[in-house]
Structures are given as structure tokens and as C-alpha cells.
Amino acid sequence: MIRVFLIAASPLARAALQNRLKAQGVKIVGSATAIDGLGGEFSDAQPEVLLVDAAGESLESTIDSLADADLAAEIPIVLLTDGTVLAASAHALQAGIRALLPSEISAGQLAAALRAAAAGLVVLHPTEVSAAFRAAAPASQPLADLTEPLTRREREVLQMLAAGLANKEIAGRLNISDHTAKFHVAAILGKLGAATRTEAVALGIRRGLVLL
């Protein structure tokens, strides 16, 4: 059974999602009405995935709030929308969100997306895929040499980012503190000129720094 923390402004939406997912082997271990309302309950619940219902909300603002809170660095995020919003796909991916899906998808599809996100995969609705890759694809031009090359440890961390590991998981693998892991990630983004972890991985792949 997968453990999920739910954010939804409407109590009815929270109850409906909990009921839809219960039969799919998904356990809602906690809930909140807003992203900035997360507190000790979120950490204590130890969820594997964060499910955010943005139906009826501003999708762009929700994505920005998730990026500002840096939650994608700590836990896989699945975001539900009012429908397929093509322009938001690349924005969501760049913010580190693992899945952007219309809220009307079936309970089985949503449960599958939650499990895929927990396993480190990115999930998009079929209607989102083409637009997301067109918008997210970097310009086809030669890459400039890095001003400062990545260290051996930074290459290790970049490879782990490509595998979908969060900062805590990276720290555990390398036997370092969470703070040090976060420092390495920040250094990688700075050296690669990336705004997000997803962009850093994409640039790392283009430079041959990430083994696929």
C-alpha cells in the first residue's frame, strides 16, 4: 500500500479522492488545505508521494508555490488539474513535479500514476506529452564549456538526481548530511546554469555527465 499526503482546498474534494483511492491500495496518511499550511503533520506522516488537487485553483500559482516551497526536492509530487493544460506541462516539469494529470482520470489511472511517481518516473497525460517536450526541449545549439567543471562527488549527486532521488535519499546513499546534499545540488545547478533539478539532469545528459 502506497502512503500519500493530500493537499486540496475543498473538504469535499479531499473526501472524494480518499474514497476513490481507498479501493486502489492507496492510503491517505494526512491532508492539508494549502501548500503553505504544511507543518509537522506532513513530516510525521512519512508519505511516499504528495498529491495536490489544483482543480478550481490557479494552476500556474500552484506550480509556483510548490517550486517556492522546494517540496519536489523532498518528495515526488502528483498534480491534478481541471483539464489538460498544455502550456503548464513544461512549467510543471521544470518545477520538479512528477505528474500533471486531469482530475477526471480514473481511480486506477491515478493510483498507477502515484506509484510511478514514487518509483521515480515522470507521468504525463497523453495529450500533454508532445507539448511538454516541445516546450521543455533545449535549443539545438552547441554547449559552451563549463566555467567550473563538476567534481567527482557532484557527478555522483547528478547521477542520483537523474535517478529521481530526493536530497534525503542522496544523503543516505553517500553517508552525508541533508545540508551537504542540498549544497551539492545547489552547486550543480549553479555550474550547469540550470534553474531546476530537472533542467540540470537534462543538461547533464546533453553533456554526457549522466549515464543512461
Side-chain angles (χ1 to χ4, degrees):
M1 180 172 287
I2 186 170
R3 298 169 60 84
V4 174
F5 194 95
L6 173 62
I7 296 179
S10 165
L12 291 177
R14 292 198 301 274
L17 281 167
Q18 187 163 355
N19 288 334
R20 287 175 63 196
L21 293 170
K22 186 176 181 180
Q24 302 295 324
V26 175
K27 183 177 182 180
I28 304 298
V29 295
S31 64
T33 58
I35 296 164
D36 57 8
L38 295 179
E41 181 189 2
F42 175 67
S43 300
D44 294 342
Q46 297 183 327
E48 298 170 78
V49 183
L50 176 62
L51 175 60
V52 181
D53 181 11
E57 308 290 328
S58 167
L59 182 56
E60 294 293 329
S61 296
T62 300
I63 294 172
D64 287 339
S65 295
L66 288 167
D68 290 342
D70 201 25
L71 287 171
E74 305 299 329
I75 187 171
I77 299 172
V78 173
L79 180 58
L80 297 179
T81 76
D82 283 312
T84 52
V85 185
L86 300 180
S89 300
H91 187 189
L93 290 175
Q94 290 164 358
I97 293 168
R98 296 283 178 84
L100 176 65
L101 302 166
S103 56
E104 66 269 16
I105 64 170
S106 70
Q109 289 175 318
L110 179 53
L114 291 166
R115 291 189 176 91
L121 301 178
V122 172
V123 183
L124 290 175
H125 193 270
T127 57
E128 300 280 310
V129 175
S130 296
F133 279 101
R134 284 198 302 271
S140 56
Q141 58 184 16
L143 290 170
D145 291 336
L146 292 178
T147 304
E148 185 179 357
L150 268 60
T151 65
R152 181 186 61 81
R153 177 49 58 88
E154 287 166 354
R155 283 173 176 256
E156 286 181 296
V157 172
L158 180 59
Q159 189 68 46
M160 292 181 188
L161 292 180
L165 272 62
N167 288 352
K168 287 183 179 179
E169 294 171 307
I170 293 171
R173 291 276 186 94
L174 298 177
N175 196 26
I176 58 178
S177 69
D178 292 356
H179 176 78
T180 300
K182 194 169 185 177
F183 175 82
H184 285 316
V185 172
I188 291 168
L189 266 61
K191 289 181 178 181
L192 293 177
T196 67
R197 298 156 70 94
T198 303
E199 186 180 357
V201 171
L203 289 170
I205 291 171
R206 291 183 66 201
R207 291 181 177 277
L209 299 173
V210 175
L211 300 177
L212 298 177

